Amino acid sequence: MLIGNRLHLTMSDIISEEEIEDLSKKVPEWEVEGSCLVRNFEFEDFNDAMDFVNAVADVAEEAQHHPDIDIRFDNVSLSLTTHEVKGLTEDDFELAGRIDNLL
């Protein structure tokens, strides 16, 4: 949903295993681990990793849906879940797709 000039993802209900399987096909680089959608990214160096993290931060802030981020020099791990419902929602897969588009 667009609010002003910012994209705001609406909070969804936890999705079913079948829906997770279907949505996972749209973001094949991501893996479902428990109640999270996770992906690891490797970059040439620390600066490239930080540029990516800053771009992710902009997209996440615009969506008002924020990943957990772990930075290890040239590796960035992202974990998406909808904390409010303690599970995966369509919002997580939507943000994963937007993050993939940054690459």
Side-chain angles (χ1 to χ4, degrees):
M1 170 189 319
L2 194 60
I3 299 175
N5 63 351
R6 304 182 92 185
L7 178 67
H8 179 70
L9 299 176
T10 57
M11 190 169 75
S12 305
D13 293 328
I14 292 177
I15 56 177
S16 69
E17 290 294 323
E18 184 177 289
E19 290 170 304
I20 289 172
E21 285 181 34
D22 288 342
L23 291 170
S24 291
K25 293 174 187 171
K26 295 180 181 179
V27 289
E29 300 290 326
W30 293 77
E31 294 183 24
V32 176
E33 293 183 4
S35 62
C36 296
L37 193 57
V38 298
R39 182 168 177 195
N40 187 60
F41 301 85
E42 189 171 332
F43 297 93
E44 291 291 318
D45 56 31
F46 180 75
N47 288 328
D48 289 344
M50 291 307 300
D51 288 343
F52 174 71
V53 167
N54 287 326
V56 168
D58 290 341
V59 169
E61 186 62 20
E62 187 176 285
Q64 289 298 297
H65 193 66
H66 304 92
D68 292 329
I69 303 172
D70 183 43
I71 305 164
R72 307 288 171 141
F73 183 62
D74 60 355
N75 285 285
V76 176
S77 296
L78 299 179
S79 178
L80 299 169
T81 192
T82 302
H83 298 284
E84 292 87 2
V85 296
K86 298 179 176 70
L88 288 170
T89 67
E90 289 181 16
D91 294 348
D92 299 301
F93 288 89
E94 171 71 23
L95 185 56
R98 293 188 69 201
I99 290 169
D100 284 351
N101 289 335
L102 294 173
L103 300 175

